[in-house]
Amino acid sequence: MSILFDTERKVFRLDAGSSSYAFCVGPWGQLLHLYYGARISDTDLGYLQSALNTGSFSPNPPEGDDSAFSLDTAFQEYPVNGTGDYRVAALAIRGENGSSATTLRYRSHTIRRGKYALDGLPAVYAAEDEAETLDVLMEDPLTGAEVHLLYGVLDRYSAITRAAVIRNSGQSPFVIEKAASAAVDFPTMDFDLVHLYGQWAGERQICRAPLTHDIRTVASKRGASSHAHNPFAALVSRNAGETSGEAYGASLVYSGNFAIETECDSLETARLVMGINPIDFAWTLNPGELFTTPEAVLVYSDEGLGGMSRTYHKLYRSHLCRGEWKEKIRPILVNNWEATYFDFNEEKLLAIAKDAADLGIEMLVMDDGWFGKRNDDRSSLGDWFVNEEKLKGGLKPLVEKVNALGLKFGIWFEPEMISPDSNLYRAHPEWTLCAPGREPSIGRHQYVLDMSRKDVQDYLFDVISGVLSGANIAYVKWDFNRNLSEAASAELPPERRKETFHRYVLGLYSLLERLTSAFPHVLFEGCSGGGGRFDPAMLYYSPQIWTSDDTDAIERCRIQYGTSLVYPPSSISAHVSAVPNHQTGRVTSFETRGNVAMAGAFGYELDLTKLTAEEKELVKKQVAQYHAYAPLVQDGDFYRLISPFEDENRCAWMSVSADKSEALVTFVVPRTRVNFNSYLRLAGLDPRKKYLDESTGRVLSGDTLMNAGLNLSRSYRDGESVLIHLKEVKA
Ligand code: DGJ
């Protein structure tokens, strides 16, 4: 049993891997949080509840007039707005009386085998015998709001999933002004907040700073999880590193506007609340209707950030990614974007495909520019029919020729967008997302489609299905190149227009669900101007995501390192591109470009026909390396060794196979130094096993490699890198 209920004390304890999580039903039915951390074995935990209060300025619940108990200071499970707790709330419901003061009282609970699913939303899944679900029913007596707090425990993982389902069981509509997915109160604020910020071509940079007495928000209002912030934060003990210390990860399975708020109060406690961003959100719930929040995935680690990441990697790889590709080795692809941009035709693509086949590359991906009249980014989004001036005879003959060379064929779409200069816009200007009465702002010369509309979803399903069934297409890159603005669906009445952002995301998920079910053999790759929507929810539909439009290997070290905090290497799409790099102008060696891309779902993004004979030999070598190492990289345990955010000269990571018989170490020198002393201590190996370092022929035991390390001191050039394969040798 992973979920226990102590009936006498009314305490719930959830045991997940090496962690425990506990809360209880309080004196008047409030749900009070008790504990989250390393595994414990008691349920007599009521003594952990805060006994502090701040005097008469902390109100007491009306039932008791008990000055010893205030929601203002109590640790709570799902704090509500406006009834005595002044910290960040998880739930605010505006009832018929116009007030957003909300009350929740415990009614009942159920514990069952299996993991709950969420209607219309992606969520972690598990077999019946792998997980348990706790469903606690809370009620607001005035509005009739029933709130089901859902908890999922997969006992093999130190992870707890949470979500809330709100039902209007009253007689009148009410408005949900805020409905978080999870909240956690900690009895200490002695934490650093770690989160990922960034920009286009510079995603998921690591930020770490101590909590202070304030409210801090990591959030997006862009309609997408965004380049700027990722729906992830961790509270880590001040001494936590990669291998030791406590880390509490909070990751939201959602691709739209989100907020992860932390608040620290005068009593030095910390609260974390995460879910849909309450700004620009309000949802009217009529009697009998349900509202479901996205899922929050909480991970506890007492092995620092590294332990936290490895739990997310395994959980997301096996219980969030779906479909036949999720655990398969992905094909090595060549994408023509940086090779040709919009300037291509069948001849050019076939020339690349021919060279790709000779070099052992397995798939050609035709990127933006194959449809409508699209010769630059000013037109044709929405017109998903082939531009026969570029591809004479259409898609089918091209795909057949590519297949005849022994390559799979992949294609690019940007389904959620519409160009003002398109047949689709001329036929359906009303499908453009725009607040009635306003002009839509334009981004990359394009508008956004109102994905909340069923007719838009149906159009996209039909037109994309037509393309995918018209030729042997093995892969789809699903791009999204601007953020939402004027997001108010004309289809909704004015008082419901703040539902648009969330309805957009639900519409997107519904379309993705239909397409991925209809085309189960197709490998979907998520993309948003690189990694502008690199979030767990998109992994539910596409097991890999284009990580960044910055393909510079040195920049990629930081981007991929930051991404690895939450996301498994198998999801991190990474390509070798040309030099000077198109984004930075930097020149790095072909080897380093390959070594860095080898840490993810590997491919090329350059004009193969322009490579020298020597470079072609290097491609062949990399292809062979990928075949040898991909199982290790995709399924192995990932260890970050030297952070490029902390060391400007070095960066290192490694993958270790599950049975610890093999490892692949990557060491990169972004910026060299004279007399470069560099010892690298490894991690994750079996201390007693002996390993052959294939680069030196030296055999060393795991304990030596992890404690004394490798001696990599020598002269390096800027951007040089080393790939070291270690293989167990039996005595
Ligand atoms: C942005 C993507 O990230 C690129 O890889 C490429 O597909 C372009 N869009 C095409 O417009």
Side-chain angles (χ1 to χ4, degrees):
M1 289 287 285
S2 331
I3 301 177
L4 303 173
F5 182 59
D6 179 332
T7 36
E8 189 192 328
R9 301 183 175 92
K10 296 200 172 64
V11 170
F12 297 93
R13 199 185 80 221
L14 285 57
D15 294 328
S18 63
S19 66
S20 293
Y21 183 103
F23 58 96
C24 67
V25 182
W28 294 287
Q30 295 94 346
L31 228 47
L32 303 178
H33 183 76
L34 295 173
Y35 175 75
Y36 187 27
R39 188 101 176 209
I40 56 174
S41 37
D42 292 304
T43 51
D44 186 4
L45 298 170
Y47 75 97
L48 291 171
Q49 187 43 233
S50 172
L52 301 172
N53 68 60
T54 53
S56 64
F57 289 91
S58 294
N60 315 114
E63 290 98 326
D65 191 12
D66 171 2
S67 56
F69 179 81
S70 173
L71 290 179
D72 193 21
T73 51
F75 300 134
Q76 294 180 71
E77 207 33 39
Y78 197 65
V80 289
N81 176 66
T83 45
D85 182 352
Y86 301 98
R87 292 165 289 176
V88 173
L91 182 72
I93 289 181
R94 177 156 45 85
E96 227 190 347
N97 65 2
S99 157
S100 306
T102 309
T103 293
L104 280 187
R105 295 288 182 268
Y106 168 86
R107 285 287 164 265
S108 62
H109 73 270
T110 56
I111 297 172
R112 61 177 175 81
R113 279 159 67 83
K115 160 80 177 46
Y116 64 84
L118 298 176
D119 193 25
L121 285 161
V124 164
Y125 60 88
E128 271 303 278
D129 59 354
E130 287 177 320
E132 283 181 25
T133 291
L134 167 64
D135 179 343
V136 183
L137 174 60
M138 308 286 289
E139 193 185 25
D140 180 354
L142 181 66
T143 58
E146 287 182 353
V147 179
H148 290 265
L149 296 180
L150 300 175
Y151 298 80
V153 178
L154 283 74
D155 33 82
R156 285 205 299 120
Y157 297 86
S158 303
I160 290 170
T161 67
R162 289 188 58 180
V165 177
I166 302 169
R167 180 172 184 276
N168 185 344
S169 65
Q171 304 300 318
S172 319
F174 57 70
V175 178
I176 303 169
E177 295 183 324
K178 182 174 187 184
S181 303
V184 185
D185 278 347
F186 295 89
T188 171
M189 57 177 276
D190 204 9
F191 289 120
D192 285 346
L193 173 69
V194 177
H195 65 100
L196 301 168
Y197 73 97
Q199 59 173 351
W200 173 77
E203 298 87 340
R204 289 171 298 286
Q205 309 288 304
I206 298 175
C207 177
R208 178 171 178 164
L211 287 183
T212 45
H213 292 89
D214 53 19
I215 299 175
R216 226 175 275 174
T217 311
V218 175
S220 167
K221 294 192 293 176
R222 295 168 179 268
S225 45
S226 90
H227 300 84
H229 293 287
N230 199 260
F232 161 78
L235 294 182
V236 304
S237 54
R238 304 292 306 280
N239 64 351
E242 279 298 327
T243 51
S244 64
E246 291 190 298
Y248 296 86
S251 161
L252 190 69
V253 186
Y254 193 57
S255 312
N257 291 351
F258 73 90
I260 303 178
E261 299 160 282
T262 48
E263 177 168 1
C264 300
D265 62 10
S266 62
L267 304 176
E268 335 286 23
T269 71
R271 170 172 290 175
L272 182 144
V273 177
M274 63 194 292
I276 293 176
N277 194 331
I279 295 176
D280 278 335
F281 170 83
W283 193 280
T284 301
L285 207 63
N286 289 315
E289 286 181 349
L290 294 174
F291 179 83
T292 305
T293 73
E295 180 163 85
V297 181
L298 305 173
V299 163
Y300 171 77
S301 157
D302 55 8
E303 290 174 9
L305 283 160
M308 177 201 75
S309 299
R310 284 184 290 281
T311 298
Y312 277 123
H313 292 179
K314 285 185 199 150
L315 185 69
Y316 285 176
R317 199 166 60 209
S318 321
H319 295 277
L320 187 61
C321 292
R322 296 179 301 168
E324 62 184 56
W325 281 102
K326 76 170 190 173
E327 273 158 331
K328 265 199 202 163
I329 300 304
R330 313 287 161 65
I332 303 175
L333 62 83
V334 57
N335 177 303
N336 75 308
W337 179 242
E338 287 196 15
T340 66
Y341 295 100
F342 294 101
D343 185 18
F344 64 88
N345 55 22
E346 181 181 287
E347 200 186 355
K348 180 75 212 168
L349 291 178
L350 285 175
I352 293 175
K354 165 88 183 47
D355 277 9
D358 291 346
L359 298 172
I361 292 168
E362 296 154 314
M363 179 157 73
L364 173 76
V365 174
M366 177 174 68
D367 210 279
D368 193 355
W370 60 267
F371 52 92
K373 296 191 167 24
R374 191 149 164 105
N375 295 315
D376 56 32
D377 58 12
R378 292 184 167 267
S379 85
S380 303
L381 293 169
D383 296 348
W384 300 111
F385 50 84
V386 172
N387 177 345
E388 297 219 16
E389 281 173 25
K390 287 184 180 176
L391 307 177
K392 296 196 177 50
L395 209 51
K396 198 157 188 277
L398 169 66
V399 177
E400 282 170 358
K401 286 174 204 157
V402 171
N403 287 167
L405 290 167
L407 260 63
K408 295 178 192 295
F409 185 87
I411 195 166
W412 178 97
F413 286 98
E414 193 179 357
E416 299 154 71
M417 299 293 159
I418 180 165
S419 303
D421 180 8
S422 66
N423 293 346
L424 186 67
Y425 186 75
R426 285 181 279 275
H428 287 291
E430 78 284 7
W431 284 3
T432 304
L433 183 67
C434 188
R438 297 207 179 273
E439 282 286 300
S441 299
I442 194 149
R444 204 196 189 200
H445 319 291
Q446 64 200 48
Y447 298 143
V448 185
L449 283 169
D450 182 352
M451 293 296 294
S452 71
R453 293 177 66 126
K454 183 75 171 60
D455 48 5
V456 170
Q457 295 165 29
D458 288 345
Y459 166 76
L460 290 172
F461 179 77
D462 290 344
V463 75
I464 295 170
S465 299
V467 174
L468 297 187
S469 29
N472 183 24
I473 290 171
Y475 159 109
V476 165
K477 178 175 173 187
W478 187 292
D479 207 345
F480 170 88
N481 280 304
R482 61 159 290 185
N483 291 137
L484 275 50
S485 57
E486 297 84 22
S489 177
E491 282 224 309
L492 294 168
E495 68 279 8
R496 300 194 73 139
R497 293 231 163 95
K498 285 196 168 190
E499 297 176 16
T500 304
F501 273 114
H502 184 54
R503 286 186 184 275
Y504 181 99
V505 177
L506 294 178
L508 168 66
Y509 292 159
S510 168
L511 177 60
L512 283 166
E513 186 67 37
R514 284 165 76 186
L515 283 167
T516 50
S517 311
F519 298 93
H521 306 307
V522 172
L523 168 60
F524 281 77
E525 173 158 336
C527 177
S528 168
R533 210 162 49 183
F534 203 126
D535 59 60
M538 292 311 284
L539 287 184
Y540 190 69
Y541 304 102
S542 53
Q544 62 189 54
I545 299 177
W546 181 228
T547 312
S548 178
D549 272 350
D550 191 339
T551 57
D552 177 304
I554 301 305
E555 294 273 291
R556 274 296 188 116
C557 286
R558 289 166 71 99
I559 295 168
Q560 293 176 194
Y561 205 91
T563 305
S564 79
L565 240 50
V566 192
Y567 305 100
S570 56
S571 69
I572 298 177
S573 180
H575 298 169
V576 174
S577 63
V579 290
N581 178 267
H582 291 196
Q583 293 78 40
T584 62
R586 187 185 276 123
V587 175
T588 36
S589 69
F590 211 90
E591 286 88 344
T592 291
R593 283 176 272 155
N595 290 346
V596 173
M598 199 77 63
F602 182 71
Y604 292 86
E605 179 137 354
L606 40 68
D607 190 345
L608 295 171
T609 65
K610 293 196 175 135
L611 295 184
T612 63
E614 190 193 340
E615 286 171 330
K616 285 187 172 168
E617 285 311 308
L618 289 170
V619 173
K620 284 188 193 160
K621 184 175 166 204
Q622 289 170 349
V623 165
Q625 283 177 323
Y626 176 78
H627 286 305
Y629 304 147
L632 183 52
V633 172
Q634 290 199 16
D635 306 332
D637 290 330
F638 187 75
Y639 291 83
R640 289 177 294 266
L641 301 176
I642 303 175
S643 169
F645 297 94
E646 290 163 15
D647 187 332
E648 63 174 354
N649 304 110
R650 303 177 309 157
C651 171
W653 60 83
M654 68 187 285
S655 298
V656 182
S657 63
D659 64 0
K660 298 191 183 292
S661 66
E662 204 187 345
L664 186 70
V665 182
T666 310
F667 176 75
V668 186
V669 179
R671 198 174 140 175
T672 195
R673 292 199 333 238
V674 177
N675 293 331
F676 200 2
N677 173 335
S678 200
Y679 288 79
L680 180 66
R681 288 165 140 198
L682 305 187
L685 301 172
D686 182 334
R688 289 170 308 278
K689 283 192 160 100
K690 297 263 183 215
Y691 296 91
L692 167 69
D693 174 344
E694 289 180 352
S695 63
T696 59
R698 197 173 290 125
V699 173
L700 291 168
S701 52
D703 55 11
T704 306
L705 288 163
M706 291 193 290
N707 293 314
L710 297 169
N711 182 357
L712 298 176
S713 309
R714 66 167 169 85
S715 297
Y716 291 90
R717 291 188 175 280
D718 278 353
E720 229 184 303
S721 65
V722 191
L723 201 63
I724 298 158
H725 186 232
L726 301 169
K727 189 112 190 73
E728 180 186 358
V729 284
K730 307 267 184 208

